[in-house]
Amino acid sequence: WVFDGGNWKKRNEKALTRIVLSAAKKRLTRAGLFVGSIRAGRILVKRGNREFPVSDIICRDPKDKLKGVISMSAFVADEVGKIVVVGYSTRLDPAGATKKGPRDHLAQMLGTLRVTK
């Protein structure tokens, strides 16, 4: 999503990321999923050598016991007054066959991010 930034600044990216994922967590809980606690951190995007805040939550569907993880990041582009929220979700593979995790995919998506006037 891309939307008007309002009064948000780059220094608010971590808080904004947490706010957006908290809202998603509430919706997932209302939908009947078991949702874990939010894990926050940062990811480094090699292209452009930029760090982004990232937050993850693990979800489980009580009906079929499938688990998944959602990773989100919020990027504040001060110069154009926009906020970009990028997210990625994937099923957690119990066999560990998935080589890339959701943060890796999210970093790849963020590496292509360009916001201009």
Side-chain angles (χ1 to χ4, degrees):
W1 309 293
V2 179
F3 50 93
D4 289 338
N7 293 325
W8 293 97
K9 301 294 180 199
K10 279 198 181 302
R11 66 180 178 272
N12 302 125
E13 286 178 340
K14 185 177 178 181
L16 183 60
T17 298
R18 193 166 181 83
I19 289 167
V20 172
L21 193 55
S22 292
K25 180 179 177 175
K26 287 177 187 174
R27 285 185 164 211
L28 292 166
T29 302
R30 282 196 305 261
L33 297 178
F34 293 134
V35 184
S37 58
I38 296 175
R39 184 180 69 137
R42 297 195 73 76
I43 52 177
L44 177 65
V45 175
K46 291 178 183 171
R47 184 179 180 181
N49 204 26
R50 174 121 201 288
E51 282 191 38
F52 291 88
V54 63
S55 293
D56 305 300
I57 51 174
I58 295 178
C59 305
R60 184 171 61 86
D61 188 336
K63 295 175 189 160
D64 57 16
K65 308 292 189 231
L66 289 177
K67 286 184 186 178
V69 65
I70 297 171
S71 293
M72 282 191 173
S73 184
F75 167 73
V76 179
D78 287 332
E79 60 280 0
V80 294
K82 301 287 183 189
I83 295 173
V84 180
V85 178
V86 180
Y88 187 85
S89 63
T90 185
R91 181 177 169 211
L92 287 178
D93 186 358
T98 307
K99 299 281 187 231
K100 281 189 169 186
R103 282 188 177 204
D104 296 320
H105 290 289
L106 187 61
Q108 194 173 13
M109 293 163 66
L110 289 166
T112 63
L113 181 66
R114 285 183 181 78
V115 181
T116 58
K117 288 186 178 185

